[in-house]
Amino acid sequence: MTETLGLTPDELLTTTRTVRKRLDLSRPVPIEVVRECIEVAVQAPSGSNRQTWHWMVVTDAAKRAAIGEYYRL
């Protein structure tokens, strides 16, 4: 049985690594949660406050695998 942490995206992104290691990475994440996590992430400071972020959310498993292979090379 998987234990649920009951954290909001904001709490999840700001918790310690130890807590994050307990997450079930095999479960799908609802797109609303992904969007909320990005909204929290863009609040982080950037060099010279330039905010030159680029986000890409890939929901297709085969495409994610291909992108992962590209970056592993």
Side-chain angles (χ1 to χ4, degrees):
M1 180 175 197
T2 303
E3 182 180 339
T4 302
L5 296 177
L7 300 174
T8 67
D10 186 41
E11 292 168 330
L12 178 65
L13 291 172
T14 57
T15 56
T16 64
R17 184 170 184 242
T18 304
V19 172
R20 290 192 311 263
K21 287 172 67 174
R22 294 176 42 205
L23 297 175
D24 180 0
L25 300 177
S26 64
R27 286 190 332 181
V29 178
I31 195 68
E32 300 81 30
V33 173
V34 174
R35 285 188 182 114
E36 190 172 344
C37 288
I38 292 172
E39 288 174 13
V40 169
V42 298
Q43 302 304 313
S46 61
S48 299
N49 201 29
R50 291 176 44 205
Q51 287 105 6
T52 57
W53 302 293
H54 299 278
W55 299 93
M56 179 184 302
V57 177
V58 181
T59 58
D60 181 271
K63 288 180 183 177
R64 272 197 316 267
I67 292 168
E69 268 310 303
Y70 176 81
Y71 282 101
R72 273 189 279 284
L73 297 176

